[in-house]
Amino acid sequence: MQKELTPWSGADSLDYQQIVSEFGIEPIEPLAEDLPEVPYFVRRGIVIGHRDYGSIVNAIRNRQRFYVMTGFMPSGHPHLGHLMVMREVVWHVQQGAEGYIAIADREAHAVRGTSWEACDAFGREYLQCLYALGFRGKTYFQSRNDRLKDLAFESATKVNFSDLAAIYGFGQDTSLAHAMSVITQVADILFPQIDGGPAPTVVPVGLDQDPHLRLTRDVAHKLRMFTVEDRREYISARSKNAPGEALFEIEKTFPRSRRYEGHVDIYGESFGRVQEAVRRIELRYGGFGFYTPSSTYHTFMPGLLGGKMSSSVPESLFTFQEADAEVRKKIMGALTGGRATVEEQRQLGGEPERCPVFQLYRFHMIPEDRELEEICRACRAGERLCGICKKEAYERVKAFLADLRERMAEVEHLVEEAA
Ligand code: TRP
Ligand code: SF4
């Protein structure tokens, strides 16, 4: 049987490489070389895959408009497991993206049964963390965004129940609200383009969220009035559901073109120029002109006890507001890649790749690659022992949290303005 990847099953047991090849996600490394600055999460193999990230690399390089958008489900406090996506969003904003954050309160309410009051309180915490980490841009709660709901409804005209069954394994007993939260996420991903106009959009997510992206890319394509294709000798603009006049207008825009029933063939023009012109015409006739959204995929940091990091296992993670003593206890109690005895460890060395403490360093606590490499080397060589290593990890986390909390207090007003 084929392994199923749904946003609700967790991807911990799935082999990343297999997912990448099976679902058509491309490895990100070859593309990243063209970035003006390769972020640590790509250098360290944390973000490993993408769809259509090339258009984002181009936008960064050429300083063209693009969006970064992602969403957070406010079913609990933001915690260590959310930090990666937050940092990816902030990085893209720093590279020139216009940022958008959805607080997925409809999803939390539909899928987790979180009360609206709790959604509101948790949602604000997420936003505060994001601003504290350097996010700037637009934010909204799904339940209070009417244009989003309209876009979700329009998107729903392009999705049927067998699509949902095939993509998410939805069945007879799936609640309608769950299906509505799925289509709301589709709308989240397309929302920047109706708010600020068509432009490439990157959605940084964990691999588990890819089904949403596949669905959204399909919907974005279906909501277009035209399909523009490069046929080498000419460029074809084919109408899917465009009004007849729009077809005339394309013909008028390009003197060297020929109009047929349902399509126009354009000669002697660049693909990019035709795409842009068709998009503008589409917008004039009430269409969306969407760019198909891009995405990046990160792997998951293991929980502090090994295995999956999950809010249902409180020892597997810490939240950003947790008391220092609690955080300390969790880190000191973490699983390591160490050996049974000190002698053995001195002899054989530790196993950092299997060590949650090392992964904490690698994902979040050590910005310098050299320093991380040195810890890795010393661990493997048996020069570094777990007790000290965990204490150092805790000291770093403590400093990080103190700084984050201070910043969170400073940006509280930004959340008030947004929510
Ligand atoms: N479904 C996502 C989660 O489980 C949250 C989410 C909502 C999201 N809207 C989104 C993610 C848009 C990316 C893009 O956490
Ligand atoms: Fe992990 Fe540090 Fe122990 Fe190595 S020394 S196994 S990195 S805790």
Side-chain angles (χ1 to χ4, degrees):
M1 214 184 96
Q2 200 185 353
K3 284 186 189 175
E4 247 189 59
L5 181 68
T6 80
W8 303 280
S9 67
D12 59 325
S13 59
L14 299 179
D15 172 15
Y16 292 129
Q17 290 314 316
Q18 187 194 333
I19 295 166
V20 169
S21 57
E22 204 172 293
F23 291 95
I25 298 170
E26 312 261 350
I28 200 163
E29 236 200 302
L31 262 186
E33 285 165 17
D34 294 332
L35 285 168
E37 169 205 330
V38 182
Y40 82 93
F41 44 77
V42 173
R43 290 199 311 266
R44 295 183 186 176
I46 296 168
V47 169
I48 54 164
H50 75 95
R51 289 187 191 272
D52 269 358
Y53 194 63
S55 59
I56 301 299
V57 173
N58 284 337
I60 293 175
R61 284 170 61 112
N62 304 324
R63 302 183 180 281
Q64 285 157 348
R65 290 191 69 204
F66 72 107
Y67 304 110
V68 60
M69 118 62 56
T70 199
F72 296 92
M73 188 162 61
S75 55
H77 295 287
H79 58 64
L80 181 58
H82 301 113
L83 196 50
M84 194 61 248
V85 171
M86 291 184 176
R87 291 195 149 142
E88 287 178 70
V89 171
V90 169
W91 185 83
H92 281 97
V93 167
Q94 287 163 350
Q95 300 302 308
E98 296 171 41
Y100 281 79
I101 298 294
I103 297 299
D105 55 350
R106 282 195 143 186
E107 183 180 1
H109 191 71
V111 180
R112 298 281 162 82
T114 313
S115 75
W116 294 111
E117 293 74 31
C119 282
D120 195 67
F122 290 140
R124 284 162 182 272
E125 264 184 61
Y126 278 91
L127 296 181
Q128 217 175 332
C129 279
L130 279 153
Y131 285 120
L133 290 166
F135 173 79
R136 294 297 177 266
K138 297 192 178 174
T139 66
Y140 61 84
F141 285 69
Q142 287 175 336
S143 69
R144 293 178 217 147
N145 184 339
D146 284 340
R147 282 184 300 152
L148 179 82
K149 293 180 202 174
D150 288 346
L151 179 58
F153 191 80
E154 201 65 42
S155 303
T157 65
K158 304 297 179 196
V159 179
N160 59 34
F161 282 98
S162 59
D163 297 327
L164 296 178
I167 298 175
Y168 301 106
F170 281 8
Q172 301 290 313
D173 51 0
T174 302
S175 85
L176 184 54
H178 196 168
M180 288 174 76
S181 74
V182 164
I183 206 68
T184 306
Q185 178 156 352
V186 167
D188 283 334
I189 295 171
L190 299 175
F191 183 75
Q193 300 196 64
I194 67 157
D195 189 55
T201 305
V202 61
V203 186
V205 284
L207 276 161
D208 64 315
Q209 298 292 307
D210 184 52
H212 293 304
L213 275 131
R214 279 185 276 145
L215 179 61
T216 308
R217 286 164 58 85
D218 189 42
V219 168
H221 181 74
K222 288 180 173 154
L223 284 174
R224 289 291 311 261
M225 285 177 174
F226 291 97
T227 308
V228 183
E229 275 167 354
D230 195 344
R231 300 272 171 79
R232 283 171 193 276
E233 310 90 83
Y234 62 94
I235 291 156
S236 147
R238 194 156 36 82
S239 163
K240 290 191 286 187
N241 46 24
E245 309 91 85
L247 215 58
F248 277 109
E249 191 138 346
I250 294 178
E251 185 190 21
K252 264 193 296 180
T253 306
F254 297 105
R256 293 187 56 200
S257 65
R258 253 170 123 158
R259 186 172 48 81
Y260 300 89
E261 178 72 31
H263 66 108
V264 182
D265 292 345
I266 299 139
Y267 293 84
E269 282 291 347
S270 83
F271 188 44
R273 258 184 50 99
V274 175
Q275 277 182 312
E276 270 322 295
V278 170
R279 224 184 277 285
R280 274 200 308 276
I281 291 168
E282 199 174 309
L283 284 175
R284 266 212 300 287
Y285 283 87
F288 294 106
F290 287 135
Y291 283 79
T292 303
S294 311
S295 48
T296 59
Y297 300 96
H298 62 84
T299 56
F300 295 95
M301 205 200 124
L304 295 173
L305 298 178
K308 202 181 161 203
M309 187 184 292
S310 160
S311 41
S312 57
V313 185
E315 290 75 29
S316 71
L317 53 84
F318 50 82
T319 72
F320 302 133
Q321 297 299 355
E322 216 159 311
D324 283 350
E326 280 300 305
V327 176
R328 184 171 197 281
K329 231 195 305 180
K330 289 179 178 182
I331 294 177
M332 295 314 288
L335 179 78
T336 71
R339 309 283 173 175
T341 65
V342 171
E343 293 74 54
E344 232 182 279
Q345 185 147 349
R346 292 248 181 251
Q347 228 170 34
L348 301 171
E351 297 175 286
E353 62 288 342
R354 302 181 25 179
C355 174
V357 178
F358 183 76
Q359 296 307 323
L360 181 59
Y361 283 136
R362 172 174 168 255
F363 272 72
H364 295 300
M365 294 300 150
I366 298 196
E368 287 295 322
D369 285 353
R370 282 241 198 83
E371 205 180 340
L372 186 72
E373 278 159 25
E374 172 52 24
I375 290 176
C376 186
R377 187 203 61 76
C379 170
R380 285 215 174 98
E383 293 166 19
R384 195 175 169 91
L385 296 179
C386 298
I388 290 267
C389 190
K390 288 201 248 189
K391 267 201 200 106
E392 281 184 25
Y394 168 65
E395 290 305 323
R396 285 180 188 266
V397 168
K398 188 171 84 169
F400 166 76
L401 289 178
D403 181 59
L404 184 70
R405 287 167 195 161
E406 199 175 303
R407 288 171 198 265
M408 282 177 74
E410 285 166 14
V411 297
E412 215 174 334
H413 64 284
L414 294 176
V415 178
E416 294 309 319
E417 285 160 21

